[in-house]
């Protein structure tokens, strides 16, 4: 039993198109137009700003390391640890991010603040905060998971290529040194320190719930 | 005699040097031209640093970098190659296109004794004191070109055979069949021109065109056919199935590295130059500039009689420059075609060669013969 056959329509080409020569001339016309446009732009130095106007006629590429296209505001780049006002990390070592991480690239060693510290009993701090950027898949789950807005991926820089594998292991100091696209190391979200009037005053050691 | 030998050596050195350097320059032209056509910036990062001075020369430095790279790259030979043929192949690919230029006249004959005088036809009697702007004036002219161009296939075929690689073998096979097929159409397309010019000598062809009109007007069909066949002979896009990288890696030169690969690549570019020079000589009046005679600028038409006499050496320089510029124009056109058209399929190439170009060339011969017979009043000429 014959199967279904699909009959393809023959392209309806005119004799002039079949002869090919005229079409070659047309194609050459198009490429020559672009050649002339590009050459005159390069010679006169009037190349369109491909960064600002990517759809302009003429030269459409940029000299990458010299010129860069801006990344979108929410583009996920290399992580950074946000700072508090006093320069310590906002991170409270709750391990939410390392738990959420599908690539298991975050390692945190939590530690207690010393006795007498205002934060003692309320929160912990990361003694070690290590991200293996080679393992990271840049999904942004850690940022979503963080309850304290302590980890962000708004640096606007992508992963650099290093020669040595150990250079890809970002420790706490390195992560703290990263700066956001807008040049800040902090976060715009408010932070309520223990002792502040806005702080709920509930702590882990003394209960209160 | 001394003048003959000195001028011959100088001409050979000049032509070979120019052609080999043209390969490097064409590499740059090709990259930059394609970049401009495709709305890109193109190569411009290679830099020569002399102190604080940075020379980029709009990407021309890349050609130097390529040359250095090819020379210093490891000359790696795969196991199991036919060593002799493997090493012979790049030479066989580069030498024929260089040799082709031997018979191409690139300027009017120079008479060094009369450099500052006005041209006089009587100088030609003292042939020993003449420097023809042509390495050698063979009486078989065009036939020599067919012979040497036909030898160009040997390099590709040998490379494909000697590499001990199936991709290379396929590439070599394709190169051989394609070049042999287009050799036929190429030869037949020029038969009409030879009938019109009544000669196979290239310098006499240029002289005929100087006295009558350019070959492109007497043989327009042959011009199209010969251009197509010449592009096919260079094995470049749209006729580059021999190296079609989508199916054959790099075709017949897959197994070549370093300078040997460079010889194949520059052989291709030299072939572009020589085919342009051939087209100029046979169809575009060679070194002749319209309205410029051996005595200078002459314009006698539309009731205007303009005569502007130039010294002999100026006429020669103008002739050589005209030839170079015409060649440059055709090279530009060939590169433009290379970056405009997509690659033909193998069967399309065979069809085009045997079923379109060959019959068209035969028809052209027939038509030319009929017209010539009609013009001569039916008499033998």
């Amino acid at each position: 039993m014959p199967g279904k056959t699909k009959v393809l329509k023959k392209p309806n080409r005119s004799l002039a198109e079949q002869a090919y020569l005229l079409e070659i001339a047309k194609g050459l016309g198009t490429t020559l137009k672009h050649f002339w446009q590009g050459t005159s732009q390069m010679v006169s130095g009037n190349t369109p700003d491909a960064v600002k106007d990517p759809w302009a006629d003429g030269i459409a590429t940029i000299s990458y390391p010299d010129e860069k296209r801006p990344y979108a505001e929410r583009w996920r780049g290399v992580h950074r640890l946000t700072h508090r006002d006093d320069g310590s990390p906002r991170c409270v070592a709750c391990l939410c991010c390392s738990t959420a991480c599908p690539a298991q690239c975050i390692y945190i060693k939590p530690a207690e603040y010393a006795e007498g510290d205002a934060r003692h009993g309320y929160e912990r701090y990361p003694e070690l905060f290590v991200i293996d950027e080679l393992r990271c898949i840049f999904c942004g789950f850690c940022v979503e998971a963080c309850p304290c807005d302590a980890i962000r991926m708004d640096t606007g820089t992508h992963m650099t290529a290093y020669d040595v594998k150990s250079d890809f292991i970002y420790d706490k100091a390195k992560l703290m040194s990263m700066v956001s696209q807008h040049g800040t190391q902090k976060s715009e979200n408010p932070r309520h320190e223990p002792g502040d009037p806005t702080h709920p005053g509930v702590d882990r050691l003394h209960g209160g719930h | 005699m001394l003048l003959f030998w000195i001028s011959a050596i100088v001409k050979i050195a000049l032509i070979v040097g120019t052609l080999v350097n043209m390969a490097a320059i064409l590499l740059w032209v090709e990259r930059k031209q394609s970049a401009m056509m495709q709305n890109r910036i193109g190569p411009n990062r290679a830099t020569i640093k002399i102190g604080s001075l940075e020379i980029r020369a709009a990407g021309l430095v890349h050609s130097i970098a390529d040359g250095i790279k090819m020379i210093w790259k490891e000359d790696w030979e795969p196991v199991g190659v036919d060593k002799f043929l493997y090493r012979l192949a790049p030479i066989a690919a580069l030498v024929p296109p260089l040799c082709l230029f031997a018979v191409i006249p690139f300027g009017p004959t120079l008479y060094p004794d009369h450099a500052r005088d006005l041209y006089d036809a009587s100088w030609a009697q003292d042939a020993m004191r003449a420097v023809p702007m042509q390495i050698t004036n063979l009486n078989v002219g065009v036939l020599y070109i067919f012979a040497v161009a036909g030898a160009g296939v040997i390099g590709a075929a040998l490379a494909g055979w000697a590499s001990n690689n199936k991709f290379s073998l396929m590439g070599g096979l394709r190169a051989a069949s394609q070049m042999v097929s287009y050799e036929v159409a190429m030869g037949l397309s020029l038969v009409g021109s030879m009938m019109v010019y009544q000669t196979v000598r290239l310098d006499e062809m240029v002289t005929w065109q100087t006295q009558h009109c350019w070959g492109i007007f007497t043989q327009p069909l042959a011009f199209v056919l010969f251009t197509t066949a010449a592009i096919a002979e260079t094995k470049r896009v749209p006729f580059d199935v021999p190296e079609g990288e989508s199916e054959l890696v790099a075709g017949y030169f897959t197994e070549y590295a370093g300078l040997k690969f460079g010889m194949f690549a520059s052989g291709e570019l030299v072939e572009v130059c020589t085919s342009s020079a051939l087209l100029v000589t046979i169809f575009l009046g060679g070194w002749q500039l319209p309205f410029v005679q051996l005595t200078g600028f002459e314009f006698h038409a539309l009731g205007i009689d303009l005569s502007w006499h130039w010294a002999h050496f100026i006429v020669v320089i103008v002739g050589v420059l005209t030839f170079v510029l015409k060649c440059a124009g055709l090279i530009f056109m060939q590169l433009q075609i290379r970056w405009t058209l997509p690659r033909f399929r193998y069967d399309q190439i065979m069809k085009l060669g045997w079923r379109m170009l060959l019959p068209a060339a035969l028809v052209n011969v027939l038509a030319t013969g009929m017209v010539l017979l009609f013009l001569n009043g039916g008499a033998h000429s």
Side-chain angles (χ1 to χ4, degrees):
Chain A
M1 192 179 140
K4 248 187 182 174
T5 42
K6 190 179 177 185
V7 182
L8 288 174
K9 232 177 91 182
K10 268 198 165 179
N12 207 2
R13 296 200 187 97
S14 65
L15 190 68
E17 283 168 335
Q18 291 277 26
Y20 205 57
L21 271 180
L22 197 68
E23 297 298 307
I24 289 179
K26 274 190 203 165
L28 284 178
T30 306
T31 48
L32 276 173
K33 195 184 81 193
H34 280 267
F35 174 79
W36 173 249
Q37 196 177 42
T39 314
S40 54
Q41 279 181 2
M42 285 302 273
V43 170
S44 66
N46 281 329
T47 50
D49 193 339
V51 173
K52 283 183 192 149
D53 191 3
W55 304 113
D57 284 341
I59 305 290
T61 50
I62 57 171
S63 298
Y64 167 62
D66 304 337
E67 301 170 80
K68 285 180 181 169
R69 291 186 207 276
Y71 286 123
E73 194 67 24
R74 298 186 62 175
W75 183 79
R76 298 193 291 266
V78 167
H79 315 78
R80 73 183 172 102
L81 286 181
T82 49
H83 291 217
R84 301 185 201 210
D85 286 339
D86 63 354
S88 57
R90 278 173 79 120
C91 178
V92 295
C94 67
L95 306 185
C96 279
C97 53
S98 59
T99 310
C101 181
Q104 305 192 354
C105 66
I106 306 179
Y107 174 74
I108 301 168
K109 186 180 177 192
E112 291 284 351
Y113 282 104
E115 200 80 42
D117 192 302
R119 294 175 198 157
H120 175 77
Y122 289 101
E123 50 191 63
R124 299 182 295 182
Y125 74 95
E127 191 183 319
L128 285 175
F129 195 110
V130 183
I131 299 184
D132 183 348
E133 299 282 357
L134 274 181
R135 278 196 148 209
C136 178
I137 58 169
F138 293 88
C139 63
F141 283 6
C142 51
V143 181
E144 298 292 324
C146 184
C148 303
D149 199 16
I151 186 167
R152 279 180 161 247
M153 296 176 88
D154 60 357
T155 47
T157 47
H158 50 252
M159 205 43 233
T160 329
Y162 298 109
D163 297 332
V164 190
K165 207 170 174 183
S166 58
D167 285 350
F168 288 94
I169 315 288
Y170 278 24
D171 61 356
K172 191 172 129 190
K174 175 92 179 169
L175 287 165
M176 298 268 300
S177 70
M178 305 295 286
V179 180
S180 87
Q181 264 191 74
H182 304 295
T184 173
Q185 289 193 309
K186 291 180 180 160
S187 156
E188 275 152 37
N189 287 327
R191 160 96 213 153
H192 309 291
E193 295 290 339
D196 286 356
T198 49
H199 192 269
V202 183
D203 73 14
R204 207 157 59 296
L205 295 182
H206 310 101
H209 271 290
Chain B
M1 210 60 198
L2 187 68
L3 181 71
F4 172 77
W5 284 111
I6 291 176
S7 66
I9 289 167
V10 167
K11 277 185 287 187
I12 291 172
L14 210 68
I15 297 255
V16 173
T18 312
L19 281 180
V20 171
N21 281 306
M22 271 307 280
I25 293 170
L26 280 192
L27 196 66
W28 169 73
V29 172
E30 184 157 62
R31 283 172 182 166
K32 210 68 182 175
Q33 188 177 344
S34 62
M36 292 296 109
M37 280 167 58
Q38 296 166 352
N39 292 353
R40 293 184 283 114
I41 296 173
N44 62 354
R45 317 274 327 170
T47 317
I48 295 176
K49 268 190 191 166
I50 306 169
S52 60
L53 187 67
E54 286 190 359
I55 302 170
R56 286 191 175 187
L60 202 48
V61 183
H62 279 268
S63 294
I64 303 171
D66 273 329
I68 295 171
K69 180 196 78 177
M70 279 171 183
I71 291 169
W72 292 103
K73 217 171 179 179
E74 184 188 354
D75 191 10
W76 184 77
E77 275 180 15
V79 201
V81 296
D82 186 328
K83 284 215 166 67
F84 177 68
L85 295 182
Y86 179 82
R87 288 168 193 172
L88 184 70
I91 303 170
L94 180 59
V95 169
L98 286 177
C99 290
L100 266 186
F101 231 97
V103 291
I104 292 174
F106 53 92
T109 311
L110 176 73
Y111 300 95
D113 298 340
H114 311 280
R116 289 166 176 279
D117 307 337
L118 190 65
Y119 177 77
D120 189 90
S122 64
W123 298 347
Q125 288 165 6
D126 191 4
M128 271 351 280
R129 302 300 299 166
V131 181
M133 289 288 156
Q134 187 179 10
I135 290 178
T136 176
N137 194 354
L138 285 181
N139 55 4
V140 288
V142 173
L143 302 181
Y144 165 84
I145 282 172
F146 291 147
V148 177
V153 70
I154 296 173
L158 277 188
W161 175 253
S163 288
N164 191 25
N165 176 332
K166 290 193 179 83
F167 290 128
S168 299
L169 185 61
M170 284 307 293
L173 269 177
R174 286 183 179 190
S177 60
Q178 173 184 325
M179 288 178 80
V180 168
S181 304
Y182 279 79
E183 206 77 46
V184 178
M186 197 175 175
L188 273 173
S189 69
L190 284 190
V191 170
S193 300
M194 291 189 248
M195 285 159 78
V196 172
Y197 302 145
Q198 303 276 325
T199 178
V200 290
R201 291 171 74 121
L202 286 159
D203 59 328
E204 285 177 5
M205 286 186 175
V206 175
T207 317
W208 191 94
Q209 291 176 75
T210 320
Q211 287 157 356
H212 300 82
C213 69
W214 285 8
I216 189 172
F217 300 117
T218 56
Q219 292 281 315
L221 181 60
F223 176 73
V224 175
L225 296 178
F226 187 76
T227 314
T228 316
I231 293 175
E233 286 288 304
T234 57
K235 303 189 286 298
R236 287 158 57 79
V237 188
F239 295 98
D240 73 332
V241 280
E243 55 169 290
E245 50 281 279
S246 51
E247 60 255 42
L248 293 183
V249 189
Y252 58 93
F253 54 74
T254 303
E255 297 289 355
Y256 285 87
L259 203 55
K260 282 180 184 150
F261 163 74
M263 283 166 85
F264 279 114
S266 51
E268 248 174 40
L269 291 169
V270 171
E271 233 167 301
V272 172
C273 294
T274 43
S275 60
S276 302
L278 261 182
L279 277 165
V280 166
T281 311
I282 298 172
F283 292 103
L284 297 177
W287 42 263
Q288 188 242 345
L289 193 66
F291 308 119
V292 173
Q293 306 292 335
L294 288 172
T295 48
F297 186 80
E298 305 275 353
F299 188 80
H300 305 288
L302 310 165
I304 307 167
D305 268 339
L306 260 178
S307 220
W308 182 20
H309 292 307
W310 294 340
H312 176 56
F313 79 98
I314 293 183
V315 175
V316 173
I317 290 173
V318 167
V320 173
L321 278 182
T322 310
F323 180 80
V324 169
L325 283 181
K326 280 179 183 172
C327 282
L330 274 182
I331 289 170
F332 178 84
M333 191 199 74
Q334 285 201 30
L335 294 190
Q336 195 80 18
I337 289 175
R338 184 249 179 273
W339 287 97
T340 302
L341 298 183
R343 175 189 302 148
F344 292 141
R345 231 165 42 215
Y346 183 69
D347 62 315
Q348 289 173 329
I349 286 183
M350 285 297 129
K351 235 178 233 171
L352 181 67
W354 290 106
R355 287 179 31 192
M356 312 274 175
L357 294 192
L358 187 62
L362 285 171
V363 167
N364 185 48
V365 172
L366 187 68
T368 313
M370 278 159 71
V371 170
L372 281 178
L373 198 64
F374 177 72
L375 287 181
N376 290 336
H380 288 290
S381 63

